[in-house]
């Protein structure tokens, strides 16, 4: 887990992060996303917060996973530290509350995962065991009066289904619910599978009796279904990124260590005119020679030339002054 305000050695960080993610997950919380946050960082450590988009891309390309909040950071860490890696993106749901199942279904789609399509064999077994009013598709609704054995049977059959890559088990407290025993039964069945199981015991203090039981079986528990889905999405991202080969990172700053002959000409020409600064047109040429992509541009000496350049570039266009007396604009 990483909290970062600024990264000073980009190449070393990129290389180290990518080597690390081949062995274990890297999840990061990068602060300073807002203008006010950047000012706070500057006053906090004296560092300048880097461009937020650049950091997002850096974490993504190295296989690291960036989280937007402390809550998300610990949601992901909880799952990655305790559960086996996910081998696909098909998620099943077992719940005793239909509404919670629907909310979880929406979250699965929102996070780029898929609702698993249970086999007919699994649905037939569930149909034979569960009450007639139960839903045997996905989500599997074991109904509000579900006892531990009903949960256990559903979890066992769903985890055994080849079309399922991960399972989310939801419990809402009802008058007849044996909260701790359901947790124990789910834990026992989860030990028999190599698929990740996320739990969502909803109700805060009413369900706390189950928390030590879930912890004993290494089952991550979340207050809300969306957090469980978020954790699965991060597990999926790590599984995909860890399969990519490690690459050597070459940054524009590395290329700039070598003197480009065309850049030398541009600088020498400016010096010959008695200037100690490049104008914008010359500066754009310099960064382009070092591989930095820039927008199309041209240097016009008259209004007619400006029109021709604009038509060649395409509209809309911006007109700027290039003058030794006016460096900017």
């Amino acid at each position: 887990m990483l909290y970062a305000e600024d990264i000073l050695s980009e190449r070393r960080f990129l290389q180290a992060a990518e080597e690390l993610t081949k062995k274990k997950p890297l999840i990061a919380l990068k602060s300073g996303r807002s203008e006010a946050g950047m000012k706070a960082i500057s006053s906090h450590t004296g560092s300048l917060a880097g461009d937020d988009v650049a950091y997002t891309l850096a974490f993504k390309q190295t296989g690291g996973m960036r989280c937007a909040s402390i809550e998300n950071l610990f949601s992901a860490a909880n799952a990655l530290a305790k559960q086996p890696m996910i081998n696909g993106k098909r998620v099943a749901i077992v719940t005793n509350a239909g509404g919670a199942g629907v909310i979880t279904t929406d979250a699965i789609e929102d996070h780029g995962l898929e609702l698993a399509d249970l086999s007919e064999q699994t649905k037939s077994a569930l149909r034979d065991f569960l009450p007639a009013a139960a839903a045997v598709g996905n989500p599997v609704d074991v109904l509000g009066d579900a006892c531990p054995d009903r949960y256990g049977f559903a979890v066992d059959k769903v985890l055994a289904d080849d079309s399922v890559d991960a399972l989310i088990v939801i419990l809402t407290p009802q008058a007849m619910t044996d909260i701790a025993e359901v947790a124990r039964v789910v834990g026992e069945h989860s030990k028999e599978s190599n698929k990740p199981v996320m739990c969502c015991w909803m109700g805060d203090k009413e369900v706390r009796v189950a928390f030590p039981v879930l912890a004993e079986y290494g089952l991550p528990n979340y207050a809300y279904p969306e957090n469980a889905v978020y954790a699965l999405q991060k597990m999926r991202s790590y599984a995909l990124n860890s399969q990519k080969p490690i690459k050597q990172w070459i940054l524009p700053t590395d290329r700039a260590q070598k003197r480009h002959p065309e850049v030398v000409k541009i600088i020498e020409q400016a010096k010959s005119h008695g200037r100690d600064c490049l104008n914008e047109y010359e500066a754009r040429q310099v960064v382009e020679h070092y591989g930095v992509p820039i927008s199309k541009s041209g240097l016009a000496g008259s209004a007619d030339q400006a029109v021709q350049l604009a038509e060649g570039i395409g509209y809309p266009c911006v007109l700027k002054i290039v003058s030794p007396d006016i460096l900017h604009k």
Side-chain angles (χ1 to χ4, degrees), residues 79 83-96 101 104-105 108 113-118 122 126 135-142 150-171 182-183 185-201 214 218-222 224-225 227-233 235:
Q83 286 294 296
M85 195 49 56
I86 189 170
N87 292 320
K89 59 180 181 178
R90 301 166 299 177
V91 183
I93 305 162
V94 172
T95 178
N96 70 341
T104 311
T105 299
I108 287 171
L113 301 172
E114 291 180 2
L115 197 66
D117 186 11
L118 300 180
T122 299
L126 292 170
V136 299
N138 191 16
V140 177
D141 188 349
V142 294
R150 204 184 292 175
Y151 262 101
F153 186 87
V155 168
D156 180 59
K157 293 302 178 183
V158 170
L159 282 176
D161 195 314
D162 291 336
S163 67
V164 173
D165 298 312
L167 173 64
I168 297 175
V169 183
I170 301 171
L171 179 143
V182 171
V185 169
V186 172
E188 286 295 325
H189 285 287
S190 70
K191 286 166 49 178
E192 300 170 6
S193 173
N194 62 351
K195 299 175 182 178
V197 178
M198 307 287 123
C199 291
C200 180
W201 260 232
L214 295 171
L219 291 172
N221 183 52
Y222 301 93
Y224 305 108
N227 300 92
V229 176
Y230 177 86
L232 279 178
Q233 188 268 327
M235 293 181 78

Side-chain angles (χ1 to χ4, degrees), residues 1-4 26-30 59 64-68 73:
M1 298 170 69
L2 171 70
Y3 168 74
L26 168 63
I27 46 179
L29 179 63
K30 168 65 179 71
F59 287 122
M65 294 168 287
R66 185 175 180 182
C67 299
L73 185 75

